[in-house]
Amino acid sequence: MTSLVCARCATSALLAARYPHAWRNSSGERVEGLRESVLCGSCDADDPAAAALLALLAEDGPPLPADLADVVDAWLARVRHRVPDPFALDAQEARWRAGEL
């Protein structure tokens, strides 16, 4: 198993979720694929959408509930519609081209 790394800060991530995603290309055709959202303890610390999950996944937090899927679904419902920050995307591409990712 590979370790999860946050693309925003390059530290270990807590969770990654992949889900179906579609968009229209320049010809107007629908392109289907997968999108990934990563939960990072550092980058998402102030994100209200991540608060419940971060609390559950904290080392000293309560045991994971049987309805963990509901908490993950609630997080995904909020983050799956976010769009990338173009400046962060450019920075990530530069790191990739430099061999840092």
Side-chain angles (χ1 to χ4, degrees), residues 38-78:
V38 175
L39 179 69
C40 175
S42 299
C43 296
D44 294 319
D46 295 328
D47 183 354
L53 258 179
L54 289 173
L56 287 174
L57 297 174
E59 287 184 30
D60 58 348
L64 296 178
D67 62 345
L68 178 61
D70 293 337
V71 179
V72 172
D73 285 345
W75 171 67
L76 282 175
R78 298 181 94 187

Side-chain angles (χ1 to χ4, degrees), residues 15-53:
L15 176 91
R18 289 184 185 100
Y19 45 88
H21 178 69
W23 62 94
R24 302 264 176 210
N25 65 18
S26 60
S27 301
E29 297 171 2
R30 183 178 167 92
V31 178
E32 296 190 24
L34 292 175
R35 186 171 175 185
E36 181 176 86
S37 291
V38 175
L39 179 69
C40 175
S42 299
C43 296
D44 294 319
D46 295 328
D47 183 354
L53 258 179

